[in-house]
Amino acid sequence: MPAVVLHKPLPAFTMDIEKPESIHQYEDTSDTGSYVYNGHSAAERKLIRTLDLRIVPASMFLYFLCCIDRFNIGNAKILNNDTGDSLAQTLGLTDRQYVIALMIFFIAYAIFETPSNYMLKKYQPSRWLAFLMFGWGAITMIIAASDNFATLVALRFLLGAFEAGLFPGIVYCLTFWYKPNERALRIALIVACATLGGAFGGAIAYGVGKLNGACGLEAWRWLFIFEGAPCCLCAFVVYFSFPDFPETVSWLSPAERALATERIRGVASLGHHKLTWAEARDTLVDWRLYVHYLLFVAFSVGFASMSQFAPTIIQGLGYEGLRAQLFTVPPYALAFVVCVGVAWAADRYEMRALGAAGAFFVCGVMFLVEALLPPTAFTARYGVLCVALSFAFAISAPSLSWLTANLRNTGASTLAVPLNVSIATIGQITGTRPPSPWICDPFRPMLTRTSTIAPCLMCVMCACRIGTFVYKASEAPAFPTGHYTNAGFMFAGAALALGLRAFYVGKNRSLTPGEQRWRL
């Protein structure tokens, strides 16, 4: 069937300005509703460049700082343990107590992530994100004063409460500024900052370790102070400079504000829209959204699980300490490239479902290979780890972009985005287990990226118990049960993505001309 260029008419706008031509240009390549993006007008390209310079770097930097603060407890746990001055040794933490301090962070996410998105919409992104940033920075510094297990747990809960709203809040903010076919690449750039946060966190910890005993403080206390203070300072910058909504920002001209609003009308969230109970109810009972959520659960199982076997591979290669930290760089460098590349293709060719399914499949194959390789083939297993981690990262952006592309109103975006990330807690905890004394830690703080919450505490605890049995310490260093389980989750994720895509294709075929199609 020959391609037909569809010029979608713009809705009326109250401001008396000249509307640029071809704001919505897509090429309808089939009757299934698959769109291939066909370019922007000159005015729109200029506007997008302005938005990218203002929004994307700021969002990346926020998430980078958040990841550094999130990963630091893993570094603090082992910092200067050769002199008896690590966090675990100073506070006298047992392995069980350390796991509780980690898990309380998840519980805080379970309580605060979805409400945080509502507050962001109500009080504007710049104000709410600045409040969250100052809060988690202050709590991070206060953790430096912890002198017992109970204090650490209480502060970790508060830290989770403040950090809970950042990642879903940033993704939610993108829906106010960008069309569905423009989001995956930008989400990927933000997600990739987790790799930078993990790498820089390890390097910072190594440097701060030299300050052990300065002013009578252990180095892990200085680590929390140094990593929390920049967040408090940057919160003031966020308050005054982070973009809110296209309708209200002062750094766009009236014509640019009109274009920014018109270009997303009907396909994205609107800043002036108010969340209603009817929208909330419809979002909560929409079964197809729960399939999207299950995709993220499957992704989270495999992604979080890598922190369980990656340290054994590095240890098997014969590296420890700083040299072991250096071997975390190649997987993250490759992950950055693959993540951005898959996201670009998902946006450019309208293939979010296929991008996510392909990444799931590759990741599943890598888990199978890990299970089948000899336990002591550490060089080969390290290469497989690099590929597995890269495609695990690559699942996130097209999956989130696909979800937001099929949310039909601002109210649905307000709830569905944080719910999608939050339910993934089940997957992330399922993929983890309490640390064993023989495992070296360089990968653990970097890979346990807990941008998550759970629907209820019981689900969290049940999933935690499952994770304990999936990755058995007695099976180290091979972990066949864990690898086969994760391969199953990855292949299930691929099947779910393809099945949901087939559902959307069928829905599009039943639509009449002019009806809004479901994005693929």
Side-chain angles (χ1 to χ4, degrees):
M1 178 179 177
V4 179
V5 177
L6 300 180
H7 296 277
K8 300 183 180 181
L10 292 174
F13 193 68
T14 56
M15 297 188 65
D16 185 18
I17 64 170
E18 182 180 355
K19 298 184 178 72
E21 296 180 359
S22 302
I23 287 182
H24 297 284
Q25 291 183 332
Y26 296 93
E27 188 176 341
D28 195 355
T29 58
S30 71
D31 59 359
T32 63
S34 177
Y35 292 95
V36 177
Y37 184 62
N38 198 36
H40 298 95
S41 67
E44 193 170 6
R45 286 195 298 270
K46 180 182 177 182
L47 173 65
I48 292 174
R49 285 195 298 269
T50 301
L51 299 182
D52 285 343
L53 290 174
R54 191 87 184 206
I55 298 172
V56 177
S59 299
M60 292 173 65
F61 186 65
L62 285 179
Y63 194 52
F64 169 75
L65 290 179
C66 180
C67 288
I68 287 181
D69 286 350
R70 187 176 302 174
F71 300 146
N72 58 15
I73 189 171
N75 291 316
K77 176 179 179 286
I78 62 172
L79 191 62
N80 297 118
N81 58 2
D82 54 338
T83 61
D85 294 322
S86 68
L87 169 68
Q89 292 165 329
T90 303
L91 301 187
L93 300 180
T94 65
D95 282 346
R96 179 181 178 83
Q97 288 175 326
Y98 176 70
V99 171
I100 291 174
L102 292 179
M103 292 304 165
I104 200 70
F105 192 81
F106 289 88
I107 297 172
Y109 266 83
I111 298 173
F112 293 105
E113 190 167 27
T114 300
S116 180
N117 252 30
Y118 175 79
M119 300 299 285
L120 181 146
K121 180 67 171 60
K122 181 177 178 64
Y123 292 109
Q124 298 184 358
S126 60
R127 297 176 181 178
W128 186 248
L129 292 180
F131 168 72
L132 295 180
M133 193 173 191
F134 187 86
W136 89 60
I139 295 299
T140 299
M141 289 192 292
I142 295 173
I143 290 177
S146 299
D147 58 359
N148 56 58
F149 167 66
T151 302
L152 178 65
V153 169
L155 292 174
R156 285 282 297 173
F157 181 87
L158 292 176
L159 182 65
F162 280 106
E163 288 195 13
L166 180 69
F167 182 68
I170 288 176
V171 174
Y172 182 41
C173 286
L174 294 181
T175 67
F176 290 101
W177 292 94
Y178 293 102
K179 297 176 184 177
N181 60 297
E182 299 167 349
R183 295 174 194 160
L185 177 59
R186 290 156 179 88
I187 293 174
L189 289 171
I190 295 169
V191 169
C193 286
T195 69
L196 300 178
F200 273 90
I204 293 171
Y206 176 79
V208 173
K210 305 295 184 180
L211 296 178
N212 192 39
C215 299
L217 298 179
E218 295 86 357
W220 68 265
R221 299 186 190 273
W222 285 114
L223 181 66
F224 284 109
I225 293 171
F226 287 152
E227 293 185 350
C231 297
C232 292
L233 295 176
C234 290
F236 295 97
V237 179
V238 171
Y239 183 88
F240 290 106
S241 63
F242 195 84
D244 289 320
F245 306 119
E247 302 95 323
T248 60
V249 293
S250 60
W251 44 269
L252 292 178
S253 67
E256 289 174 327
R257 282 199 300 271
L259 175 58
T261 304
E262 286 294 323
R263 65 188 292 272
I264 62 171
R265 191 182 298 274
V267 296
S269 302
L270 298 175
H272 63 267
H273 184 88
K274 303 297 183 183
L275 177 65
T276 65
W277 283 112
E279 290 175 344
R281 182 184 63 251
D282 291 343
T283 301
L284 293 173
V285 300
D286 191 341
W287 69 267
R288 66 182 178 84
L289 295 181
Y290 288 90
V291 180
H292 282 284
Y293 303 159
L294 288 176
L295 288 177
F296 232 63
V297 171
F299 149 73
S300 298
V301 172
F303 183 80
S305 294
M306 291 183 191
S307 64
Q308 310 307 315
F309 66 90
T312 71
I313 296 175
I314 301 297
Q315 188 181 50
L317 292 172
Y319 298 103
E320 297 179 353
L322 182 59
R323 295 186 69 187
Q325 293 283 357
L326 294 177
F327 272 81
T328 67
V329 175
Y332 283 109
L334 182 60
F336 186 93
V337 174
V338 173
C339 183
V340 173
V342 172
W344 177 85
D347 272 348
R348 181 66 177 81
Y349 299 106
E350 193 75 15
M351 50 183 293
R352 302 170 190 85
L354 295 180
F360 267 121
F361 181 79
V362 173
C363 200
V365 171
M366 292 302 103
F367 274 116
L368 281 181
V369 173
E370 283 283 358
L372 295 173
L373 282 172
T376 57
F378 293 111
T379 302
R381 293 178 65 193
Y382 178 76
V384 173
L385 169 66
C386 292
V387 178
L389 178 64
S390 299
F391 281 91
F393 263 106
I395 295 170
S396 178
S399 298
L400 281 171
S401 179
W402 190 22
L403 168 67
T404 61
N406 287 310
L407 298 175
R408 294 297 176 84
N409 56 65
T410 306
S413 298
T414 305
L415 291 177
V417 171
L419 282 174
N420 177 71
V421 181
S422 70
I423 294 176
T425 301
I426 299 175
Q428 292 217 8
I429 299 181
T430 301
T432 60
R433 63 180 176 83
S436 300
W438 64 273
I439 291 180
C440 63
D441 280 332
F443 263 95
R444 180 176 298 279
M446 301 182 187
L447 287 169
T448 311
R449 185 181 59 86
T450 55
S451 54
T452 52
I453 63 171
C456 65
L457 179 58
M458 182 177 295
C459 289
V460 172
M461 294 308 175
C462 290
C464 182
R465 295 301 299 169
I466 294 172
T468 302
F469 290 109
V470 166
Y471 267 89
K472 303 175 181 179
S474 60
E475 294 183 347
F479 298 117
T481 302
H483 291 326
Y484 284 125
T485 301
N486 285 325
F489 273 101
M490 295 299 103
F491 291 136
L496 280 174
L498 294 176
L500 187 57
R501 184 184 187 276
F503 168 77
Y504 283 135
V505 169
K507 293 279 287 184
N508 285 339
R509 285 175 175 163
S510 65
L511 296 176
T512 59
E515 286 190 277
Q516 184 177 355
R517 294 179 178 272
W518 298 96
R519 311 302 290 262
L520 305 179

